[in-house]
Amino acid sequence: MEIKVLGPLEARENGVSIAPSAVKPRQVLSLLGLQAGHVVTVPTLIEELWGMTPPRSALTTLQTYVLQVRRRIGDAMPGDGPGIAKSVLVTRYGGYMLDVPPESVDVRSYERLASAGQRAFEVGDLESASRLLRSATDVWRGPVLVDVQIGVRLGMEVTRLQESRLGVLETRIEADLQLGKHQSLLSELSVLTSQHPMHENLCAQYMLALYRAGRQWKSLEAYQSLRDTLIEELGLEPSERLRQLQRAILSSEPSLDKPLSPRQLERQLAG
């Protein structure tokens, strides 16, 4: 079986799509896929489907949705498809579990690559970190479950994965800045800072890349844009860390030209 949730929902068995077209069965399959190998309890599934006000028939209706998903799995399997399907979408005490290998779910592939990339970054293997972290984000095909109705439980998972992806992007960009790849980062950082106009670390990375590419004025413009947004939206000034970077750019500090990341520069400038 192959399950993809990092983008539109895709679920295939023997090359045949098993993703339901109905809204709530798609939610059931999505939540089971995200938690593949783990039991998802009945209360968790009911909360996902109906929130805090489930109908009296919630348990029976949930069982119907599970049977619909199981039937689609069985139809895609040769031989005793229905029997095999029961060993794939398993009923457990208090809930249900999708019993499939971890590598069949794109989330697990993403998390494995992201963890390996983070470990490489922490030990200073920047080339491997950049490659692995880029491979991790390449697993994504778009926003998580973009074509699935999102309830409370899926919403938690979507938020977690989006935050994880942003963290992976930041770390990969840190590695690339230390590798001297500032020029190739400009277009990507331009998009990311537009998508996250109050994200200080992305702004610092963009400022540094612009400065090293010989665009000092544009670097200062990026700082001013973030400052204006923070003041307008939150009534706050940028952090001292970012103001320190702005002052270093204004005075063309020699340390800015070294292959360092914003975090490393912060420590050097503070010292």
Side-chain angles (χ1 to χ4, degrees), residues 200-247:
E200 289 202 353
N201 197 46
L202 288 174
C203 182
Q205 292 174 330
Y206 191 30
M207 290 168 65
L208 190 55
L210 286 165
Y211 179 84
R212 289 177 179 168
R215 299 166 68 179
Q216 183 180 19
W217 66 273
K218 186 71 174 176
S219 178
L220 295 170
E221 191 177 83
Y223 170 85
Q224 190 60 48
S225 176
L226 178 131
R227 180 177 184 270
D228 291 345
T229 303
L230 285 176
I231 290 174
E232 181 179 347
E233 296 292 330
L234 303 175
L236 296 175
E237 289 281 348
S239 66
E240 174 58 28
R241 168 176 171 261
L242 205 64
R243 295 200 300 271
Q244 188 180 54
L245 178 59
Q246 183 225 19
R247 291 192 295 269

Side-chain angles (χ1 to χ4, degrees), residues 46-251:
I46 287 175
E47 184 181 16
E48 168 59 29
L49 295 171
W50 294 288
M52 302 306 294
T53 55
R56 290 184 179 180
S57 61
L59 181 57
T60 302
T61 307
L62 171 61
Q63 290 169 344
T64 301
Y65 294 153
V66 170
L67 286 173
Q68 289 175 11
V69 175
R70 190 178 279 151
R71 187 177 302 118
R72 292 187 67 90
I73 296 172
D75 289 345
M77 290 180 163
D80 182 21
I84 299 172
K86 289 181 181 179
S87 67
V88 175
L89 204 175
V90 185
T91 301
R92 288 282 187 263
Y93 179 75
Y96 301 93
M97 180 179 74
L98 203 57
D99 190 8
V100 297
E103 61 271 15
S104 66
V105 185
D106 62 352
V107 167
R108 300 295 169 258
S109 298
Y110 160 74
E111 291 175 336
R112 175 178 54 80
L113 288 164
S115 295
Q118 184 62 44
R119 289 194 299 270
F121 182 79
E122 289 170 357
V123 299
D125 185 355
L126 300 177
E127 290 285 0
S128 294
S130 177
R131 173 176 52 80
L132 288 164
L133 295 172
R134 188 178 294 277
S135 295
T137 54
D138 284 347
V139 174
W140 289 60
R141 297 165 295 116
V144 183
L145 296 170
V146 66
D147 57 349
V148 175
Q149 181 170 292
I150 302 298
V152 174
R153 294 293 179 155
L154 280 178
M156 293 177 184
E157 289 294 314
V158 168
T159 299
R160 177 184 70 82
L161 287 166
Q162 288 173 337
E163 289 295 325
S164 170
R165 181 177 182 272
L166 189 57
V168 166
L169 282 169
E170 288 181 67
T171 304
R172 198 217 78 226
I173 292 168
E174 291 278 331
D176 285 345
L177 282 170
Q178 293 182 51
L179 290 166
K181 298 180 180 180
H182 48 270
Q183 192 73 46
S184 64
L185 291 170
L186 292 178
S187 60
E188 180 181 16
L189 281 167
S190 175
V191 172
L192 286 171
T193 52
S194 294
Q195 293 173 337
H196 306 277
M198 292 188 285
H199 198 295
E200 289 202 353
N201 197 46
L202 288 174
C203 182
Q205 292 174 330
Y206 191 30
M207 290 168 65
L208 190 55
L210 286 165
Y211 179 84
R212 289 177 179 168
R215 299 166 68 179
Q216 183 180 19
W217 66 273
K218 186 71 174 176
S219 178
L220 295 170
E221 191 177 83
Y223 170 85
Q224 190 60 48
S225 176
L226 178 131
R227 180 177 184 270
D228 291 345
T229 303
L230 285 176
I231 290 174
E232 181 179 347
E233 296 292 330
L234 303 175
L236 296 175
E237 289 281 348
S239 66
E240 174 58 28
R241 168 176 171 261
L242 205 64
R243 295 200 300 271
Q244 188 180 54
L245 178 59
Q246 183 225 19
R247 291 192 295 269
I249 289 171
L250 280 168
S251 59

